[in-house]
């Protein structure tokens, strides 16, 4: 269960965290949602976002505790502070949701994403792609004489940067997993 | 103790174990095994409705008038889809329901089988929670959990979808145990916040209680505590449509309903108050008027069991998450222990101001001539039924607002109306549910003719089960509220807002074997109402009223609480500007 422990932060049961901040600034927040691994659980969360007009920038989900039947959904969303608070409260009242954590405000956290890039090219372009991949610590997971598939893991910004560099070098296809995130510390 | 039984038997057994005495339903292929079990027992009464929407509204009426969850049993496919409006209605008004739907057998799910629908998919956004049970062994725990979820926290409708093979198969059943559910919403409020609210109450110059359906949902203790709090502090109180009856209409601190068609004094007091104490209401758009000008000078406290209600639309200064009864108990304790202080001098001045607003007599009307004014009809209904053990349901529209304005409610759970969803066709089946729960009571559905026709098939149900529900129809041969908005907003172009082919309601009643009464003369009204009350059986009362009466007072769309239209304001053209006109 140690892997499931999320640092308890501002989202206690106290109403103090309901003190509003009605700013108009759009903020990006990463939410970690622990939900019972049952049919339709993901649909409930996604349906809430579409039904109430919230944004999903990225979303990942997988079972993280087989015996406890828990899945972890990591959602990157954006909105005003008021909307972010609403999202957390709305997700929190979905019956099979156990915990909602806003990793963006509850202390430091680490975020990682995995992506695969297919880059096709010949000659100098091909060599350059390989050289850059090396700098970004991307691995080659498939290769033909005219293409590579790179695998890269990192913060989303790093993956964005890698994508920008690959584009002129023959980038043909990208697959990204979306963000997985954990709070730092024990 | 575990017992072996079929899924179908388990369902009936679980309902009995949960204390259910009445089920509203309609049979079909996918629930036949359950109906076979219903046939072989006497503990639960089954009310055969004439349409599944009626079953859900009837269960809502039952739930709202008793405080117990309403139970519905319908078949797969169209049975389930017909229940969707009722589920959405119950979700928006936080009414506890347990709805059981049949489903095609598990091995046929996904094959577009006869009467197959993705019921859990369709109802996911309109239930508090739902389940598809694929193993008979899971049926018992899910049924018990369903009752727990429907009735704990903010109440709401839940649905269990049960494939036919699960009903036939045998499995283990266990009686419900004292709650082992993980779902345990917070009921106690934070004491620091409660203390902060008490401190605000001690100094407030212009305080107001703004209460809602949450007080009713919290149970009779909440209404009792609210009365104690209001009477002890001497603060004025107003309520939403959903909360009528929590504080008695005859109480001297009562300002009447607030909101779009609320009373002038209630809305003005909301606008000018310096401390607003929201207890179990949710700042619905019918209440707030335009948000930017909503009660600009007040500190706002909000007591709600659902954290997502707090700060959803209005910025709150003192948020308290908890059940109304629990929080009010603590609030009273803290207030008393700190010496029962209020700023009584300032509050007395506040009351003087409120009395000035009251002097406007915003509900005043004049009954003259030979045409019955709808306000007059309701005033007479109120006068003649007041002493009775009375329950009122309504449909949706002008008549609903007039009923809220002109009828007085002294107790909670006596007033059943579709608030959040505004479902025309709600009131008649709801009255059936209420009458099932209270067989001896006088149950009246205040209706408009258009709404009433939406679920008129339930006359068959009322007749079959001998339910003496009174259908008090204010007949203006118009979709009155639509007509009113077309007058205010669309240059009096009355597009599709009247009916040219209304039935003869007396003959309609007689066709079902019921009693019909028609009344068009104000002089006959009292006798006709008495005839309705005294008739031992269902009555359709066709009250022909003024066709072009507008419902006032009114906060026009896009306006603030202090910009109300009053009955004397004849110049109604152009009161809603283009910004307001996009609002519903």
């Amino acid at each position: 269960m140690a892997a499931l422990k999320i640092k308890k932060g501002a989202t206690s049961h106290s109403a103090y965290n309901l003190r509003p901040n009605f700013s108009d600034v759009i903020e990006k927040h990463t939410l970690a949602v622990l939900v019972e691994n049952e049919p339709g659980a993901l649909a409930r969360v996604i349906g809430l976002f579409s039904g109430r007009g919230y944004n999903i920038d990225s979303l990942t989900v997988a079972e993280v505790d087989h015996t406890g039947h828990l899945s972890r959904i990591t959602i990157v969303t954006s909105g005003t502070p008021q909307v972010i608070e609403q999202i957390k409260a709305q997700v929190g009242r979905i019956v099979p949701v156990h915990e909602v954590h806003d990793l963006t405000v509850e202390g430091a956290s680490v975020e990682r994403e995995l992506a695969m890039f297919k880059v096709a090219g010949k000659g100098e372009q091909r060599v350059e792609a390989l050289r850059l991949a090396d700098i970004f610590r991307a691995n080659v997971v498939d290769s033909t004489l005219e293409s590579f598939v790179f695998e890269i893991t990192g913060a989303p910004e790093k993956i964005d940067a890698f994508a920008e560099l690959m584009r002129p070098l023959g980038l043909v296809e990208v697959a990204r997993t979306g963000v997985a995130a954990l709070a730092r510390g024990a | 103790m575990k017992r072996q039984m079929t899924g179908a038997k388990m369902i009936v057994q679980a309902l009995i174990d949960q204390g259910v005495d009445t089920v509203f339903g309609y049979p079909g292929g996918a629930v036949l095994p359950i109906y076979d079990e219903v046939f072989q027992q006497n503990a639960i009464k089954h009310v055969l409705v004439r349409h599944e929407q009626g079953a859900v509204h009837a269960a809502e009426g039952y739930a709202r008038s008793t405080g117990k969850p309403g139970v519905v049993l319908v078949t797969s496919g169209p049975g389930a889809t017909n229940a969707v409006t009722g589920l959405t209605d119950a979700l928006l008004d936080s009414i506890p329901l347990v709805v059981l739907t049949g489903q095609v057998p598990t091995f046929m799910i996904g094959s577009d089988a006869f009467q197959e629908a993705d019921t859990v998919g369709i109802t996911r956004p309109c239930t508090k929670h739902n389940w598809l049970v694929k193993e008979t062994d899971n049926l018992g725990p899910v049924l018990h959990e369903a009752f727990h979820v429907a009735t704990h926290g903010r109440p709401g409708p839940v649905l269990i979808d049960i494939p036919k093979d699960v009903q036939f198969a045998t499995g283990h059943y266990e009686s419900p145990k004292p709650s082992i559910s993980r779902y345990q919403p917070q009921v106690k409020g934070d004491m620091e916040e409660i203390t902060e609210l008490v401190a605000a109450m001690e100094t407030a110059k212009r305080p107001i209680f703004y209460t809602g359906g949450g007080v009713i949902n919290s149970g009779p203790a909440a209404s009792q505590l609210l009365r104690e709090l209001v009477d002890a502090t001497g603060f004025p109180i107003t309520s939403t449509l959903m909360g009528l009856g929590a504080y008695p209409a005859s109480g001297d601190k009562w300002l009447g309903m607030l909101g779009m068609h609320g009373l002038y004094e209630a809305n003005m007091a909301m606008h000018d108050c310096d401390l607003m104490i929201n207890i179990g209401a949710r700042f619905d758009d019918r209440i707030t008027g335009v948000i930017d000008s909503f009660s600009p000078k007040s500190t706002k406290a909000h007591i709600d069991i659902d954290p997502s209600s707090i700060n959803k639309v209005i910025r709150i200064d003192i948020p308290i998450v908890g059940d109304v009864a629990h929080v009010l108990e603590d609030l009273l304790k803290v207030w008393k222990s700190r010496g029962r202080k209020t700023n009584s001098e300032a509050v007395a001045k506040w009351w003087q101001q409120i009395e000035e607003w009251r002097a406007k007599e915003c509900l005043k009307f004049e009954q003259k001539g030979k045409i019955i004014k709808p306000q007059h009809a309701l005033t007479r209904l109120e006068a003649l039924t007041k002493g009775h053990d009375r329950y009122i349901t309504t449909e949706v529209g002008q008549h609903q607002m007039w009923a809220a304005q002109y009828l007085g409610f002294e107790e909670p759970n006596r007033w059943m109306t579709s608030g959040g969803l505004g479902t025309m066709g709600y009131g008649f089946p709801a009255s059936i549910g209420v009458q099932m729960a209270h067989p001896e009571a006088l149950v009246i559905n205040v209706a408009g003719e258009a709404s009433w026709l939406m679920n008129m098939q339930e006359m068959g149900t009322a007749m079959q089960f001998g339910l003496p529900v009174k259908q008090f129809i204010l007949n203006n041969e118009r979709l009155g509220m639509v007509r009113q908005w077309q007058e205010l907003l669309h240059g009096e172009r009355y597009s599709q807002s009247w009916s040219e082919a209304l039935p003869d309601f007396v003959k309609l009643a007689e066709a079902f074997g019921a009693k019909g009464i028609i009344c068009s003369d104000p002089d006959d009204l009292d006798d006709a109402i008495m005839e309705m009350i005294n008739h031992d059986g269902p009555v359709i009362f066709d009250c022909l009223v003024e066709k072009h009466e507008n419902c006032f007072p009114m906060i026009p769309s896009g306006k603030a609480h202090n910009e109300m239209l009053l009955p004397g304001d004849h110049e109604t053209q152009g009161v809603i500007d283009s910004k307001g006109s996009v609002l519903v």
Side-chain angles (χ1 to χ4, degrees):
Chain A
M1 281 298 285
L4 291 181
K5 257 181 91 180
I6 301 178
K7 200 169 143 195
K8 291 266 178 194
T11 45
S12 69
H13 279 302
S14 160
Y16 277 106
N17 59 315
L18 296 171
R19 299 283 179 165
N21 173 2
F22 275 34
S23 134
D24 287 336
V25 181
I26 303 285
E27 298 175 354
K28 203 180 227 325
H29 283 240
T30 303
L31 307 181
V33 181
L34 278 178
V35 57
E36 251 155 78
N37 185 14
E38 60 177 32
L42 180 62
R44 284 178 210 285
V45 175
I46 294 174
L48 176 89
F49 275 74
S50 63
R52 293 188 182 264
Y54 304 141
N55 299 310
I56 297 180
D57 296 349
S58 100
L59 182 140
T60 65
V61 56
E63 188 180 65
V64 289
D65 177 7
H66 187 67
T67 50
H69 298 289
L70 287 177
S71 290
R72 184 179 175 112
I73 304 175
T74 308
I75 306 168
V76 180
T77 183
S78 48
T80 63
Q82 186 201 5
V83 167
I84 300 285
E85 287 306 313
Q86 254 306 292
I87 291 172
K88 287 189 272 186
Q90 292 287 354
V91 173
R93 73 180 189 143
I94 295 174
V95 172
V97 166
H98 286 224
E99 291 176 39
V100 183
H101 291 275
D102 185 343
L103 298 176
T104 305
V105 298
E106 295 175 31
S109 62
V110 280
E111 297 192 351
R112 288 294 179 269
E113 186 177 1
L114 184 141
M116 293 200 284
F117 290 82
K118 184 177 284 178
V119 180
K122 288 181 176 171
E124 191 48 38
Q125 279 202 338
R126 185 172 159 82
V127 179
E128 183 60 17
L130 198 58
R131 201 164 24 228
L132 286 166
D134 191 43
I135 293 166
F136 275 76
R137 296 199 192 90
N139 299 319
V140 177
V141 290
D142 178 64
S143 175
T144 67
L145 290 175
E146 290 166 0
S147 71
F148 289 119
V149 174
F150 296 117
E151 172 206 332
I152 181 169
T153 308
E157 299 75 32
K158 174 179 162 180
I159 292 170
D160 292 343
F162 187 65
E164 280 311 305
L165 290 172
M166 287 300 116
R167 194 153 289 135
L169 300 175
L171 180 63
V172 286
E173 212 174 346
V174 184
R176 297 175 72 151
T177 59
V179 171
L182 283 177
R184 286 181 188 272
Chain B
M1 196 188 68
K2 282 194 174 183
R3 283 177 288 166
Q4 287 272 30
M5 59 180 81
T6 65
K9 192 168 180 60
M10 226 178 253
I11 291 160
V12 173
Q13 188 59 50
L15 295 182
I16 293 170
D17 289 347
Q18 290 289 344
V20 173
D21 54 24
T22 309
V23 171
F24 302 89
Y26 202 99
V31 283
L32 284 175
I34 307 173
Y35 271 90
D36 202 28
E37 292 297 333
V38 168
F39 186 81
Q40 299 176 51
Q41 56 83 46
N42 290 315
I44 296 173
K45 284 172 282 189
H46 179 276
V47 180
L48 175 69
V49 295
R50 297 309 189 258
H51 186 287
E52 289 87 351
Q53 186 191 353
V56 186
H57 293 324
E60 285 186 272
Y62 177 95
R64 291 172 79 153
S65 66
T66 61
K68 296 198 292 182
V71 180
V72 174
L73 173 57
V74 296
T75 194
S76 64
T81 56
N82 279 345
V84 163
T85 299
L87 288 168
T88 312
D89 190 89
L91 185 72
L92 277 175
D93 284 348
S94 306
I95 308 304
L97 298 182
V98 176
V99 176
L100 309 173
T101 54
Q103 182 54 280
V104 301
T106 48
F107 53 85
M108 291 181 82
I109 288 178
S111 70
D112 296 325
F114 177 65
Q115 293 195 330
E116 182 184 359
D118 175 11
T119 301
V120 287
I122 290 168
T123 61
R124 200 174 285 128
C126 61
T127 52
K128 183 175 173 186
H129 194 57
N130 63 12
W131 296 263
L132 168 64
V133 181
K134 288 180 161 175
E135 309 276 341
T136 306
D137 276 341
N138 292 341
L139 207 41
V142 167
L143 282 157
H144 299 322
E145 174 77 358
F147 278 88
H148 176 82
V149 169
T151 53
H152 285 72
R154 181 174 178 175
V158 300
L159 180 143
I160 312 174
D161 199 25
I162 310 163
K164 197 173 181 182
D165 54 334
V166 173
Q167 300 167 29
F168 273 124
T170 302
H172 293 289
Y173 174 77
E174 262 186 285
S175 306
K177 296 193 199 103
S179 189
I180 48 164
S181 172
R182 190 194 60 78
Y183 181 74
Q184 303 291 350
Q186 181 187 354
V187 290
K188 293 278 277 181
D190 184 293
M191 285 312 283
E192 283 180 53
E193 297 283 0
I194 289 173
T195 308
E196 190 175 333
L197 173 54
V198 169
M201 286 165 61
E202 287 168 349
T203 54
K205 293 183 178 136
R206 299 183 306 280
I208 187 166
F209 289 112
Y210 146 48
T211 63
V215 183
I216 315 271
N217 276 338
S218 178
S223 293
Q224 239 14 76
L225 288 160
L226 177 70
R227 289 162 188 223
E228 190 185 339
L229 182 67
V230 172
D231 294 337
T233 56
F235 294 173
I237 175 169
T238 178
S239 164
T240 66
L241 182 74
M242 297 298 297
L244 297 178
Y247 185 83
S250 60
D252 62 352
K253 303 292 175 279
W254 177 239
L255 301 186
M257 181 176 78
L258 82 159
M260 183 174 273
H261 292 289
L263 272 67
Y264 180 72
E265 50 267 41
N267 285 334
M268 290 301 285
M270 284 289 279
H271 189 267
D272 281 3
C273 68
D274 70 345
L275 175 64
M276 179 186 296
I277 307 162
N278 173 342
I279 308 176
R282 61 180 177 90
F283 296 105
D284 181 273
D285 55 74
R286 299 291 103 159
I287 294 306
T288 58
V290 63
I291 297 281
D292 299 342
S293 339
F294 176 72
S295 192
K297 290 164 272 187
S298 60
T299 298
K300 297 177 185 73
H302 189 177
I303 301 166
D304 203 301
I305 198 160
D306 179 359
S308 76
S309 283
I310 296 175
N311 288 321
K312 185 168 66 178
V313 281
I314 297 293
R315 182 187 189 129
I316 297 303
D317 305 292
I318 308 172
I320 301 173
V321 177
D323 166 62
V324 168
H326 284 82
V327 173
L328 289 188
E329 195 180 1
D330 286 337
L331 185 69
L332 267 164
K333 253 186 228 159
V334 174
W335 181 70
K336 285 175 185 169
S337 72
R338 286 167 57 118
R340 299 166 169 268
K341 289 191 288 257
T342 60
N343 187 347
S344 50
E345 208 173 301
V347 173
K349 243 191 225 163
W350 176 226
W351 271 109
Q352 278 174 15
Q353 171 65 67
I354 289 170
E355 291 306 333
E356 277 174 38
W357 290 324
R358 247 187 197 161
K360 280 239 180 195
E361 297 188 291
C362 69
L363 293 183
K364 206 164 133 188
F365 65 92
E366 217 178 327
Q367 172 62 48
K368 54 181 179 193
K370 292 303 264 179
I371 297 171
I372 301 172
K373 284 226 176 203
Q375 299 95 322
H376 178 67
L378 287 167
T379 307
R380 295 317 302 157
L381 184 74
E382 168 73 359
L384 297 171
T385 61
K386 214 173 179 177
H388 287 74
D389 178 17
R390 183 188 78 177
Y391 293 82
I392 300 284
T393 67
T394 77
E395 306 288 345
V396 168
Q398 285 182 321
H399 68 273
Q400 177 190 28
M401 294 298 108
W402 281 317
Q405 292 169 343
Y406 291 94
L407 303 181
F409 298 94
E410 298 297 309
E411 298 293 333
N413 305 102
R414 296 279 173 162
W415 163 248
M416 277 56 57
T417 191
S418 172
L421 193 63
T423 310
M424 291 171 72
Y426 167 88
F428 183 16
S431 71
I432 285 173
V434 174
Q435 191 82 70
M436 276 305 293
H438 310 277
E440 303 303 322
L442 174 62
V443 180
I444 303 170
N445 174 33
V446 175
E449 83 290 347
S451 282
W452 192 83
L453 288 171
M454 280 203 179
N455 269 324
M456 60 156 271
Q457 76 285 347
E458 300 304 329
M459 276 308 287
T461 312
M463 290 310 295
Q464 181 175 340
F465 293 88
L467 301 170
V469 288
K470 315 302 184 206
Q471 305 303 313
F472 191 71
I473 301 174
L474 298 175
N475 185 352
N476 60 2
E477 300 171 16
R478 301 285 183 281
L479 308 184
M481 195 60 96
V482 171
R483 194 210 61 79
Q484 177 169 344
W485 279 57
Q486 287 171 335
E487 180 186 326
L488 296 183
L489 200 60
H490 293 278
E492 303 182 52
R493 291 180 295 281
Y494 298 122
S495 181
Q496 305 298 318
S497 57
W498 77 92
S499 175
E500 290 188 44
L502 287 169
D504 177 329
F505 284 99
V506 174
K507 279 190 185 154
L508 183 66
E510 286 163 3
F512 278 102
K515 183 179 180 63
I517 299 173
I518 186 164
C519 182
S520 59
D521 187 334
D523 295 335
D524 299 338
L525 187 58
D526 279 23
D527 288 346
I529 291 175
M530 287 313 295
E531 191 185 350
M532 173 184 86
I533 296 169
N534 292 329
H535 179 70
D536 184 21
V539 177
I540 301 178
F541 190 111
D542 186 10
C543 188
L544 300 175
V545 297
E546 165 65 47
K547 298 185 202 310
H548 300 111
E549 190 69 17
N550 280 333
C551 184
F552 289 126
M554 177 182 186
I555 304 176
S557 297
K559 301 285 183 184
H561 275 171
N562 59 350
E563 299 175 281
M564 292 194 86
L565 288 178
L566 293 171
D569 297 338
H570 292 299
E571 193 42 66
T572 51
Q573 288 300 303
V575 291
I576 299 175
D577 56 23
S578 58
K579 217 173 132 196
S581 67
V582 300
L583 302 169
V584 181

